[in-house]
Amino acid sequence: MIIGQAADAAGVSAKRIRYYEQIGLIDTARRSGAGYRVYDERDLHSLRFIRRARQLGFSIPHIATLLALWRDRRRSSADVKEIALAHVEELRSKITELQSIVDTLEDLAAHCDGDSRPDCPILAELQGVE
Amino acid sequence: MIIGQAADAAGVSAKRIRYYEQIGLIDTARRSGAGYRVYDERDLHSLRFIRRARQLGFSIPHIATLLALWRDRRRSSADVKEIALAHVEELRSKITELQSIVDTLEDLAAHCDGDSRPDCPILAELQGVE
DNA sequence: CCTATACCTTCCTATTATGGGAAGGTCAAG
DNA sequence: CTTGACCTTCCCATAATAGGAAGGTATAGG
């Protein structure tokens, strides 16, 4: 299987696969006589694992750790859980931050007439009028 | 007032001010005899406006528009409100997305023993075991 | 056998909004 | 006149890709 086929099968772009190889997230692929990267089912499993982890918002360094744990038969589930929960905490903070922005903007927008007149609490707030 | 003072007064770094000038978000600063950028109160107002807008998560292109509206005495508040509400919608989608990841991870973590044994629903999910 | 086209390769650029740092000029105080 | 704290420009790095150029390869059809 060459890179385009692997990309289709794993649901990632060929570009990404090369990038993951370049940064060392996946092993250097074997090459065909013509220099084409060659993949097998095991590689697809890794690529799919990476894709799912990315979809869950894990960073590539975190995924590197998760991949290592995944391959380690003697891992402890506690290690995995710790990474996942730390990630959840990060996401929660981000959500809280975004939510507070939403609240602020909605409050401002609610007091903005939204008509053709120039008066606007949103700009007033940005301007720093208390 | 030179850049370091303006930076302190406006609560942004000197680097940022130069960057904002470079990309055209703020006007090219006047220069002193020695070539130092010189700022006045009006510039500080703009920089503070930008800082607050960044804190509310507006992108620089959006801020450019908001700044233009802010300076336009004949603006309509509807234009400002529209940008703000569109931004709110983006934030909401992002929050929803993050929240769904949090829900997934918490569910998986709840079923993960988190002990020294290797069994781990989190890795099982990433692996694609249904 | 030749050619088209659909791949593959590497390498370089761009994205977003900064931060870091080097090399060198300037200014104020002591 | 030196020292230190500024300023200047310019280049590099970040995270995780996408896009594209230039050139090699595999395959199918005529």
Side-chain angles (χ1 to χ4, degrees):
Chain A
M1 193 176 353
I2 62 182
I3 201 168
Q5 296 161 337
D8 289 348
V12 301
S13 68
K15 281 271 190 197
R16 269 190 226 188
I17 298 178
R18 292 193 197 97
Y19 173 68
Y20 292 155
E21 177 181 312
Q22 186 199 323
I23 62 173
L25 184 63
I26 57 177
D27 289 340
T28 302
R30 295 174 296 288
R31 300 296 183 114
S32 71
Y36 287 11
R37 287 176 180 80
V38 177
Y39 299 92
D40 61 22
E41 277 300 322
R42 284 180 60 83
D43 299 316
L44 291 188
H45 285 313
S46 298
L47 290 171
R48 291 197 189 103
F49 183 99
I50 293 168
R51 178 171 60 97
R52 291 199 177 88
R54 287 292 301 144
Q55 285 168 348
L56 291 178
F58 287 102
S59 69
I60 289 197
H62 279 163
I63 294 175
T65 306
L66 290 172
L67 272 172
L69 288 169
W70 180 44
R71 289 172 182 142
D72 179 4
R73 290 288 183 78
R74 285 174 303 289
R75 75 199 169 219
S76 67
S77 63
D79 291 340
V80 180
K81 191 168 180 174
E82 188 183 332
I83 293 172
L85 291 180
H87 182 45
V88 164
E89 272 321 295
E90 277 179 35
L91 295 171
R92 278 193 195 292
S93 321
K94 190 68 186 173
I95 290 171
T96 302
E97 185 192 331
L98 296 181
Q99 187 60 55
S100 107
I101 294 175
V102 165
D103 292 347
T104 300
L105 286 175
E106 291 211 306
D107 185 47
L108 292 169
H111 294 93
C112 175
D113 294 330
D115 57 19
S116 61
R117 288 172 299 172
D119 310 276
C120 179
I122 300 169
L123 291 179
E125 161 72 20
L126 290 173
Q127 187 178 347
V129 173
E130 299 301 306
Chain B
M1 190 174 355
I2 60 181
I3 202 168
Q5 296 161 337
D8 288 349
V12 300
S13 68
K15 280 273 190 193
R16 267 189 228 189
I17 298 178
R18 291 193 197 96
Y19 174 67
Y20 292 155
E21 177 181 313
Q22 187 200 322
I23 62 173
L25 184 62
I26 58 178
D27 289 340
T28 302
R30 296 174 295 290
R31 298 297 182 113
S32 72
Y36 288 12
R37 287 176 181 79
V38 177
Y39 300 92
D40 61 21
E41 277 299 323
R42 284 180 60 83
D43 298 317
L44 290 188
H45 286 314
S46 298
L47 289 171
R48 292 198 189 101
F49 183 100
I50 293 167
R51 178 171 59 97
R52 292 200 176 86
R54 287 291 301 144
Q55 285 168 349
L56 291 179
F58 286 102
S59 69
I60 289 200
H62 279 163
I63 294 175
T65 307
L66 290 171
L67 272 172
L69 288 169
W70 181 44
R71 289 173 182 140
D72 179 5
R73 289 288 184 77
R74 285 175 303 288
R75 74 195 170 225
S76 68
S77 64
D79 291 340
V80 181
K81 191 168 180 172
E82 187 183 333
I83 293 172
L85 290 181
H87 182 44
V88 164
E89 271 321 296
E90 277 180 35
L91 294 171
R92 276 193 197 293
S93 322
K94 190 69 187 171
I95 289 171
T96 301
E97 185 192 330
L98 296 181
Q99 187 61 56
S100 108
I101 293 176
V102 164
D103 292 347
T104 300
L105 286 174
E106 290 210 307
D107 184 47
L108 292 170
H111 294 94
C112 174
D113 294 328
D115 57 20
S116 61
R117 287 172 298 171
D119 310 276
C120 180
I122 301 169
L123 291 179
E125 163 72 20
L126 290 173
Q127 187 179 348
V129 174
E130 300 301 304

